[in-house]
């Protein structure tokens, strides 16, 4: 999995080793739509960083794309997934 770098004043790393400096971990949960987009993102857990880090994680979650579940050969909506996000302020 590659690092996802977003246009905020932070490095957002999903499944990547963090660099030096404080790193905050947030676990988000989302529903995957049939087209792979995410909706209804929510914070499951957070290790520091306060409201600003939580907001960054939710904004990142809204940009995630997943492989949707498939039933009878067609993609379907409704899968709930959890994703850890590491945020290191620059």
């Amino acid at each position: 999995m590659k690092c996802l770098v977003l246009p905020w004043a932070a490095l957002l790393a999903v499944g990547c080793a963090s660099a030096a400096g404080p790193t905050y971990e947030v676990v988000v949960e989302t529903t995957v739509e049939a087209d792979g987009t995410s909706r209804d993102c929510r914070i499951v857990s957070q290790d520091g960083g306060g409201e600003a880090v939580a907001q960054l994680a939710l904004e990142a979650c809204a940009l995630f794309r997943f492989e949707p579940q498939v039933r009878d050969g067609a993609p379907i909506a409704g899968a709930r997934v959890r994703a850890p996000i590491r945020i290191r302020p620059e």
Side-chain angles (χ1 to χ4, degrees):
M1 189 177 295
K2 293 184 177 181
C3 291
L4 172 65
V5 180
L6 301 172
W8 299 300
L11 170 66
L12 203 63
V14 181
C16 300
S18 62
T23 301
Y24 308 109
E25 183 164 307
V26 180
V27 177
V28 294
E29 184 177 70
T30 187
T31 300
V32 179
E33 294 293 328
D35 65 359
T37 58
S38 57
R39 71 169 165 85
D40 299 331
C41 295
R42 71 178 188 92
I43 304 291
V44 175
S45 65
Q46 181 175 345
D47 181 22
E51 188 62 33
V53 166
Q55 186 60 41
L56 282 174
L58 289 173
E59 289 177 22
C61 180
L63 299 175
F64 288 171
R65 297 297 179 264
F66 298 92
E67 290 290 325
Q69 284 184 314
V70 175
R71 184 178 298 147
D72 297 325
I76 60 170
R80 293 292 293 173
V81 297
R82 289 186 177 190
I85 301 171
R86 289 184 199 92
I87 298 174
R88 181 179 52 83
E90 291 183 332

